[in-house]
Amino acid sequence: MTQSGNGGDDEASAGLNRRRLLAGAGLAVAAGSALPVAALARQPAASPAPAAELPGDGPDPPESDPDFSPGAEMPSSEPALEPVADPSAATTDWAWVRSQWALDWSWVNLSAMLFASNPRIVRNAIARHRDGLDANPVTYLEANNRPLQNTARAAAGRYFGTSGESVALVESTTAGVGLVYNGLIVGYGDEILTTTHDYYVTHESLRLLTLRSGAQVRKISLFEAARGASQAQIVSRLMAAITDRTRVIALTWVHSSTGLKMPIAAIAQALRAVNAGRTPGKTVLLCVDGAHGFGVEDVTFDELGCDVLMAGCHKWMFGPRGTGVVFFKPSALARFSPTIPSFLAPNAYGAWLGGYDPGPTTGARMTPGGFKAFEHVWALNETFQFHQMIGKAAIAARTRALAGRLKMALAQMPHVALRTPIDPALSAGIVSFDVPGLSADAVVRRMRAARVIGSAAPYAQRHVRLTPSFRNNEAEVDFAIQILADIRPPRG
C-alpha cells in the first residue's frame, strides 16, 4: 500500500503558512491554542556568539562567571500571535499535516507509541543546530545552551498550560520516572501505592527506591479486565487502598499493555479529600507516567490534577529522539531532591564555588546536566510549536476518531479479542487486541509481512498493539483492518 505525501526539507517549499494548514476539510482548530506557521517560518537560525576579547587588567567580565549566559533566564512572555482572519471557519488540512513527515509511505506505520520520526519543522531545527555545533561547537554551545533549554521548558509549559519554571528536561520517560522516584524523599515505613498493571520502569524504579530508603511498595489490582473496567471501580479501589502510611500513588496515564486510559483527573479529585485532613509532609502525592497520554489528550496539567507527570517527547509528540519532560506542581517540588548535578540552575556553579546550599528544589535543578545531544534538546521548542500550530483539540479528536474506527472494526471480528475499552473516556490512541490461537509476536510478524507496523506489548501477558496517530489517515486504518481480517489461527 503506497501513500503519497513525502516532501523535501526546504521550509519554503513546504507551504508553511497558516492558511495552507487551515485550508482543507477536517476538524476545527482551537484558535486560542495555535501558533502561526508564518511566525515559525520567520524564526532566524541561532548564530554563535562573537569571539570574546581577552580580558585585560581590571574586573573580569560577566562571561567569566560559569553561571552566566546571555539570555539564560526563563522567557517572561509568550510570543506574539498573528491574527487569523476567520478563526471560527478554521479547519485542519490533514493531508498537509501528513506531508510534513519523511516516512516511507509504502508502509502503514501504526506504531507511533514506540519511537517517532520527526515532522519537517523539527528536522530543520535539529539540522540547524547540528550545523552550528559542527561549525563552531564551543561558541555555539556557549551562546545557545541555557537560553534554548529554557525556551524549551517555557514552550513545554505553554503547551501543558503551566509555568516552564517547574519543568525539568530529561532524555525519555524512563529517565524521568527514574529521576522522580530516585529523588523522592520518603522514610522507613512510608508506603508507595502502585498497581499490578503498571510497567516495568515504574515497578523497577520503585524497587530500587525501597532498597535505599526503607520505604515499602504495595501493588493492587484495579480491575479484572481492562475492557470491562469503569472509572468508579478504579477510583474506589485506589482510595480504599490508601493507608495512613501512604505517601505516593504511582500510576500510568495510559497503560501500554491494554490501552486503558486511567481517569487521572477523577483520581486527583478524590485524593484531594484524603489530603484535606493531612499535614503537608504527609499528604499523598500523585505521580504519573504520562508517556501515552502526553501529545494525545487535550488537557492541561492543572486539569489533569496530578502532582508530577513524566513523559518522553519522541513518541506521540513526534519530537527529537532522546528528549522528554517532567512537570512538577510547585507545591510538590519540596518532596524531591536532585540526584544528578544540574548545569541549568541559575546558581549551579556559584553554589559550588561559594560553598553554599543552592537552595530549594526547582525544575532547573531537577534537569540533569552533562553533555548530550544538544541539537535535539534545543529543537523541543519547534516540537511544541508544531502541536499548538495544529491545535491540541484537533489532534485529540483526530487520534480518537482513528482509534475508534479501528476498535469498532476489531470488536466485530469473531476471531479477534479486543482488550482496549471502546469508551474514549477510558482509552486514547493505543488499540490492544489478541488473535486467540496465535501469539502476539506471530500476529505482528504477519502484519509486517503485509507492510503494516504494529508491536507486541512487553508484558507477561503480551497483546498486539496498533496505535494510529494524527499523521495517519482513514485509508491506512482500513488497510490494517483488512489485513487483520485475514490473519487467523490455523484450523484444527
Side-chain angles (χ1 to χ4, degrees), residues 388-473:
Q388 291 190 293
M389 174 179 72
I390 300 167
K392 289 175 66 175
I395 288 172
R398 177 71 168 177
T399 307
R400 188 180 303 119
L402 293 174
R405 187 185 189 98
L406 178 58
K407 285 187 291 186
M408 292 303 296
L410 295 181
Q412 297 174 38
M413 293 184 185
H415 68 292
V416 171
L418 181 65
R419 303 303 181 192
T420 305
I422 292 286
D423 184 357
L426 289 171
S427 61
I430 297 175
V431 179
S432 181
F433 61 94
D434 296 315
V435 178
L438 289 174
S439 70
D441 295 287
V443 175
V444 169
R445 285 194 298 270
R446 290 175 67 170
M447 285 194 300
R448 290 193 184 179
R451 302 183 77 80
V452 176
I453 300 177
S455 63
Y459 292 76
Q461 178 63 54
R462 295 171 72 82
H463 303 301
V464 187
R465 303 175 301 189
L466 292 176
T467 55
S469 66
F470 70 94
R471 74 180 179 193
N472 295 115
N473 60 25

Side-chain angles (χ1 to χ4, degrees), residues 54 65 93 96 104 162 217 222 228 267-268 289 297 358 386 393 446:
L54 292 175
D65 180 354
D93 181 352
W96 180 89
D104 178 354
T162 190
V217 174
L222 299 177
I267 293 167
D289 174 340
E297 297 296 311
F386 183 66
R446 290 175 67 170

Side-chain angles (χ1 to χ4, degrees), residues 358-374:
T361 300
T362 64
R365 288 191 63 211
M366 290 294 287
T367 298
F371 286 79
K372 54 192 75 176
F374 291 112

Side-chain angles (χ1 to χ4, degrees), residues 56-287:
D57 294 335
D60 288 340
E63 288 85 348
S64 66
D65 180 354
D67 284 328
F68 175 84
S69 178
E73 298 81 10
M74 285 290 294
S76 59
S77 62
E78 296 192 12
L81 301 180
E82 290 184 351
V84 179
D86 184 9
S88 63
T91 54
T92 305
D93 181 352
W94 293 111
W96 180 89
V97 171
R98 182 176 168 84
S99 75
Q100 301 308 296
W101 272 269
L103 283 167
D104 178 354
W105 296 108
S106 68
W107 288 81
V108 174
N109 194 320
L110 296 175
S111 200
M113 66 168 291
L114 284 176
F115 204 37
S117 56
N118 307 137
R120 179 178 287 110
I121 190 173
V122 177
R123 295 197 307 272
N124 287 348
I126 293 170
R128 182 172 71 248
H129 296 310
R130 183 181 61 236
D131 290 347
L133 287 169
D134 286 341
N136 203 329
V138 172
T139 59
Y140 197 87
L141 179 67
E142 289 174 346
N144 291 292
N145 188 25
R146 280 192 173 177
L148 291 182
Q149 285 198 62
N150 282 329
T151 296
R153 293 169 66 213
R158 282 193 298 274
Y159 171 83
F160 214 25
T162 190
S163 170
E165 292 283 358
S166 299
V167 176
L169 301 179
V170 293
E171 286 70 41
S172 63
T173 307
T174 299
V177 171
L179 183 84
V180 164
Y181 294 134
N182 188 53
L184 180 63
I185 301 172
V186 288
Y188 183 84
D190 288 343
E191 179 184 86
I192 298 99
L193 182 63
T194 188
T195 79
T196 58
H197 318 291
D198 282 274
Y199 184 47
Y200 155 76
V201 169
T202 292
H203 288 170
E204 180 64 3
S205 295
L206 293 177
R207 185 187 72 84
L208 295 172
L209 170 64
T210 64
L211 297 179
R212 294 186 297 273
S213 65
Q216 298 176 351
V217 174
R218 186 157 53 95
K219 301 173 186 175
I220 65 169
S221 174
L222 299 177
F223 44 78
E224 283 65 49
R227 180 84 187 273
S230 70
Q231 174 177 305
Q233 177 190 41
I234 290 171
V235 174
S236 64
R237 285 197 182 185
L238 266 175
M239 294 304 107
I242 294 174
T243 70
D244 290 340
R245 296 187 296 109
T246 306
R247 298 292 177 266
V248 175
I249 296 178
L251 300 177
T252 299
W253 193 356
V254 180
H255 292 171
S256 59
S257 55
T258 63
L260 178 133
K261 180 174 68 179
M262 291 282 284
I264 300 297
I267 293 167
Q269 182 177 6
L271 193 56
R272 281 193 283 273
V274 174
N275 285 333
R278 296 195 176 199
T279 58
K282 296 184 182 299
T283 55
V284 181
L285 294 177
L286 179 55
C287 299

